[in-house]
Amino acid sequence: MSAISISDLHKSFREGPVLQGLELAVGKGSLTAILGRSGSGKTTLLRLIAGLERADRGRISLAGQVVDDGPRCVRPEARRVGYVPQDGALFPHLTVEQNIRFGVSRAGRRAGRVESLIRMVGMEGLGGRYPHQLSGGQQQRVALARALAIDPQLLLLDEPFSALDPALRAAVREEVGAILAATGITTLLVTHDQDEALSVADQVAVLRGGRVVQLGSPEQLYGDPVDLEMARFLGQANLVDGMVEGGVAHTPLGPMRLRWPRQAADHLSGPAIVLVRPEQITIAAGGSAGAPGRIVHTQFHGHDSVVVVASQLPQLPRIIRVRIWGASGWGRDAAVTLSASGEAQAWPRP
């Protein structure tokens, strides 16, 4: 049985339709990231699941119970759903302990539930502080503890790390991920951050035009995007003209076998657009075998570098991005050649 089952979900506001026939199934105990651009309906989806909005049409079931199918709508407080909004929404006039205690039953208070949650989120010794006395990461951990206080069957996180600075965001994300893994609670995480979705989620649902256009593991979405728009959206993509024959895409960067099983050799042949990820490309000194180009600049990230190369072949995009381990060692305007290896994804050229 799915922890969440959604079918034919529709929701419109005065400005127009937001969700248009959305379908989604989430397994118990999993962490699913809902990824999409601004306005794709991510927050609306969470609010419908939580019962803060009602669906225009469709069905939402939680743990096998229908909670919204149009005529019937279960009250938010009866759904056992914990919700953490983007800003955490802590009560400013209550201490850490009081914020968490707000959602705990009397029996839970007697059993030391509040103290247990404070320990779980690493806030020991800070129960008497007020929200304005906490860092952004501490506030998010308190908001998480308060959401867990009701012993929910489902946890909804709406861009919970977006207000944090990049260094703190990564650390808090890891802390929260460890807490959720320890609880085993089914979680939906709304985000527009691709790195966040790919690094923490068991599966990722990408929203576009009010629908889930692809659902799968991070590896599946990155390696086997469903269409060209998905390829451009998720990760860096070099889209190269090629010719497909016998399951092999022949490109100016070299031949690349098509990735299966989504495409079969007899379903794709002739002119195609081939997806080549930056890490599949090798740079060599000018004069070597491969497609010629010149280094434009290098983006150094510490653990790796992205080298931006100006292509000198009209069959290639004007700019090619190459990812290499560590520092690049290539200077600006250096003459290089490029070649690609591994499996590729391809689509018929329009």
Side-chain angles (χ1 to χ4, degrees):
M1 180 189 299
S2 296
I4 306 172
S5 179
I6 299 174
S7 59
D8 194 31
L9 188 63
H10 292 255
K11 182 64 180 178
S12 296
F13 297 100
R14 181 177 300 178
E15 299 79 8
V18 178
L19 301 180
Q20 304 181 71
L22 184 142
E23 306 275 341
L24 180 65
V26 174
K28 184 177 180 181
S30 64
L31 195 164
T32 299
I34 308 297
L35 181 64
R37 293 187 172 90
S38 296
S40 60
K42 304 186 298 296
T43 294
T44 297
L45 174 60
L46 286 202
R47 291 179 61 82
L48 286 165
I49 294 171
L52 304 176
E53 301 280 354
R54 293 191 63 170
D56 297 335
R57 195 172 88 216
R59 174 177 292 187
I60 302 173
S61 298
L62 303 180
Q65 177 192 8
V66 176
V67 296
D68 192 349
D69 65 357
R72 291 177 294 174
C73 187
V74 176
R75 300 187 314 277
E77 60 271 21
R79 298 190 184 194
R80 287 187 58 207
V81 172
Y83 184 79
V84 180
Q86 185 170 336
D87 60 1
L90 297 178
F91 300 118
H93 62 291
L94 299 182
T95 64
V96 167
E97 182 177 338
Q98 291 167 338
N99 264 282
I100 298 173
R101 189 181 298 276
F102 186 83
V104 179
S105 67
R106 290 183 178 178
R109 295 173 191 177
R110 289 194 297 270
R113 174 77 170 157
V114 175
E115 292 75 14
S116 174
L117 287 166
I118 287 176
R119 287 194 301 272
M120 178 186 294
V121 298
M123 296 293 290
E124 299 99 319
L126 302 177
R129 292 193 181 183
Y130 290 88
H132 72 273
Q133 297 174 310
L134 304 175
S135 69
Q138 289 171 330
Q139 290 180 24
Q140 286 303 108
R141 281 186 275 163
V142 175
L144 176 63
R146 189 179 63 183
L148 293 173
I150 64 171
D151 191 24
Q153 63 179 342
L154 171 65
L155 183 64
L156 307 178
L157 306 177
D158 189 0
E159 304 254 17
F161 316 117
S162 61
L164 306 177
D165 66 72
L168 183 59
R169 185 183 309 152
V172 174
R173 189 167 65 205
E174 290 176 2
E175 292 172 358
V176 170
I179 293 168
L180 295 177
T183 64
I185 189 171
T186 306
T187 303
L188 286 187
L189 166 68
V190 155
T191 182
H192 65 273
D193 186 324
Q194 296 180 13
D195 289 341
E196 189 168 284
L198 296 178
S199 64
V200 304
D202 301 312
Q203 65 175 3
V204 180
V206 180
L207 266 60
R208 186 201 307 156
R211 296 180 175 88
V212 174
V213 292
Q214 190 166 4
L215 173 68
S217 70
E219 295 82 4
Q220 288 172 331
L221 267 64
Y222 186 80
D224 190 19
V226 70
D227 55 26
L228 275 170
E229 188 171 345
M230 181 68 71
R232 294 188 185 99
F233 173 67
L234 198 66
Q236 293 182 324
N238 298 299
L239 298 175
V240 177
D241 284 342
M243 184 68 67
V244 172
E245 183 179 1
V248 176
H250 300 274
T251 79
L253 298 172
M256 303 183 73
R257 182 160 295 279
L258 294 189
R259 180 175 288 112
W260 312 124
R262 197 178 71 81
Q263 294 176 322
D266 56 349
H267 289 168
L268 180 60
S269 62
I273 296 176
V274 183
L275 168 62
V276 183
R277 294 294 188 185
E279 59 273 15
Q280 294 181 287
I281 302 177
T282 300
I283 302 181
S288 306
R294 285 193 175 273
I295 304 293
V296 177
H297 65 90
T298 299
Q299 303 162 353
F300 179 59
H301 302 291
H303 48 77
D304 67 2
S305 299
V306 175
V307 183
V308 180
V309 180
S311 166
Q312 296 179 330
L313 289 181
Q315 304 97 310
L316 286 173
R318 185 176 62 85
I319 292 294
I320 297 287
R321 289 176 172 81
V322 184
R323 181 175 289 109
I324 61 176
W325 179 255
S328 77
W330 295 101
R332 187 186 297 269
D333 205 39
V336 297
T337 57
L338 306 175
S339 58
S341 61
E343 295 182 327
Q345 186 62 281
W347 295 268
R349 190 185 303 158

